[in-house]
Amino acid sequence: MSRAASPAPAEPIAQLRRATFRDQIAERLRHAIIDGRIPPGEQVTELQLAAEFGVSRGPLREAMGLLAEEGLLISVPYTGTRVVGLSAGDISEIYSLRTALETLAFQQIWQRRTPAFARALKTRHAALLGALPEGDGYASSLAEVQFHSTVYDYCGHALLQETWRRISARLHLYLAVHQKAHGRSGPLGDAHQRYVELALGDDLAAMIAEIEHHMRRGVLQLQAYLGGMPA
């Protein structure tokens, strides 16, 4: 039987390349937002961004849709698209949600922590510490998000993991702004040491108390910074 009519994989490969291009554009746009080159609240258009990034509007539109799903871009009918804003209310909401999510994640995993979880937590903490000397705020805040992702990755709660993924890009932005508020490109070197020790220890109540303290300190410092920014 002739095999001449079998080049069917061509279309999926083309689709994969298109998706990869969209993802590359999305990463560049995400980087620009989190670095502050496109500031919070800034209105953006497809035409403007296509010219800036040197790309066509089709995959750019797809990339913007992806960032809208992540919460970094907000589209308002008849008004346009803008970068998510930063207000005291926004900060309070995401940090209170983080506290609830991370508490639940540790409650889910506590009796089922594995050596793999412990290794991943230590490895990601080391990666975070390793990113600090580079002075790259984007990379260090991403490493901090990945560090905090560990408990979600291993907790075995699919809906909790999905919820965390939906807020993690916005959290990346807030962490980067938080570090700028202190004139740094990343957290202090010992900022997560107690977190790691308690996460691998045997006192769940102390772990939950540390989560609440860690989040409360972050929200108060960032709100104070935003309160001092010019309107």
Side-chain angles (χ1 to χ4, degrees):
M1 183 173 64
S2 171
R3 303 174 67 89
S6 348
E11 188 175 349
I13 290 172
Q15 289 174 349
L16 176 60
R17 286 177 180 159
R18 180 179 178 82
T20 301
F21 189 40
R22 176 208 65 185
D23 293 342
Q24 290 173 348
I25 297 170
E27 179 58 20
R28 289 175 61 192
L29 182 54
R30 189 182 296 112
H31 206 304
I33 291 171
I34 291 171
D35 263 355
R37 284 176 284 143
I38 306 177
E42 176 103 340
Q43 189 158 359
V44 294
T45 67
E46 289 179 14
L47 189 61
Q48 163 210 342
L49 292 176
E52 183 173 341
F53 291 138
V55 298
S56 60
R57 293 174 66 176
L60 174 64
R61 186 179 302 117
E62 295 175 3
M64 291 175 70
L66 185 60
L67 266 63
E69 291 177 9
E70 295 176 359
L72 290 178
L73 292 177
I74 296 174
S75 295
V76 181
Y78 310 110
T79 301
T81 301
R82 61 179 174 82
V83 176
V84 64
L86 288 173
S87 69
D90 297 328
I91 300 305
S92 179
E93 285 189 4
I94 199 164
Y95 275 86
S96 62
L97 181 58
R98 279 190 68 197
T99 302
L101 293 178
E102 210 141 319
T103 296
L104 177 57
F106 272 103
Q107 289 170 336
Q108 291 289 310
I109 199 176
W110 199 254
Q111 300 301 329
R112 299 181 291 107
R113 289 171 296 167
T114 63
F117 165 73
R119 286 193 300 271
L121 190 68
K122 292 176 182 177
T123 298
R124 294 181 189 183
H125 186 225
L128 172 55
L129 294 177
L132 299 183
E134 300 300 322
D136 184 337
Y138 181 90
S140 62
S141 53
L142 178 59
E144 189 170 356
V145 172
Q146 292 170 339
F147 167 76
H148 280 282
S149 294
T150 311
V151 67
Y152 300 98
D153 292 342
Y154 286 85
C155 73
H157 191 305
L159 190 55
L160 186 54
Q161 292 167 343
E162 179 184 336
T163 305
W164 168 253
R165 283 193 295 270
R166 288 182 65 85
I167 71 166
S168 59
R170 192 179 301 191
L171 176 61
H172 187 184
L173 170 63
Y174 290 2
L175 288 173
V177 173
H178 175 86
Q179 302 310 331
K180 289 176 186 175
H182 297 281
R184 303 190 303 252
S185 59
L188 295 174
D190 61 353
H192 295 87
Q193 187 59 45
R194 179 166 171 76
Y195 181 105
V196 173
E197 292 169 356
L198 291 172
L200 302 179
D202 57 9
D203 190 340
L204 176 58
M207 182 71 238
I208 291 174
E210 172 62 18
I211 292 169
E212 292 174 350
H213 175 69
H214 190 82
M215 303 301 176
R216 184 169 62 250
R217 185 173 66 244
V219 71
L220 291 175
Q221 290 173 337
L222 189 47
Q223 285 179 332
Y225 171 71
L226 292 175
M229 290 177 67

